Amino acid sequence: MRRPIAAAALLTALVLTGTGPPAPAAAQQPPGTDVAACRDGSCTLRVTGPVEIPLDGRAGQSAVSVTGIGTHAVAFLVSEGDRRSYGVTGTGGTVRFTTPDGTLTIRVLELADGAATIELSSSASGA
C-alpha cells in the first residue's frame, strides 16, 4: 500500500515543480549531417548552409531545400512535381507542406552560430 502512495506523491511533486522524468536517450543523440538518411522524410539533421534533401515522394514531395539560415529563422523550399512551396520558421517553429499524397512537417529544433538542427517527418494520406 505504501509504494503506490509514494509513487503518486513523487509524480505530483514532479508535475507541480514543472520538471519531469529525464528525456529518452534517443532524444539526446546528436543529429546527423547525412542528407541521404532523410530520403524517407523522417530524420533529424544538422545543416550549416543551403542544402537540398532528396525525398522519396511518399508524401508527395520530391525534395526539400534549406535555402537560408538566418539569425532567427530558417527558410525552406519544397518541390512537389513542377510546383514549389516556401516556408520560414524559427527555433521551435514548424512548417507543414501538404499535398494530396500526404504531409511533410519540418520543425526547427535549434538555431545557433549559423547552423540549424531540423527534424523532418512525413506521413502519407490515410496513414
Side-chain angles (χ1 to χ4, degrees):
M1 284 289 206
R2 298 183 122 201
R3 286 189 184 165
I5 293 171
L10 177 60
L11 180 60
T12 301
L14 289 173
V15 170
L16 292 177
T17 61
T19 61
Q28 297 172 1
Q29 293 177 353
T33 56
D34 180 12
V35 296
C38 296
R39 188 145 178 83
D40 67 353
S42 179
C43 69
T44 301
L45 188 67
R46 183 174 186 275
V47 294
T48 57
V51 64
E52 182 173 296
I53 305 164
L55 301 172
D56 64 10
R58 72 181 63 194
Q61 299 85 5
S62 58
V64 59
S65 296
V66 174
T67 59
I69 300 173
T71 305
H72 302 289
V74 181
F76 303 96
L77 165 68
V78 172
S79 301
E80 302 164 6
D82 61 349
R83 294 181 12 190
R84 307 282 184 261
S85 299
Y86 298 90
V88 177
T89 192
T91 303
T94 301
V95 292
R96 286 185 180 84
F97 299 96
T98 302
T99 71
D101 296 325
T103 300
L104 172 67
T105 302
I106 306 170
R107 189 166 66 130
V108 176
L109 301 176
E110 184 178 7
L111 183 58
D113 301 323
T117 302
I118 60 175
E119 177 182 69
L120 277 68
S121 60
S122 65
S123 60
S125 293

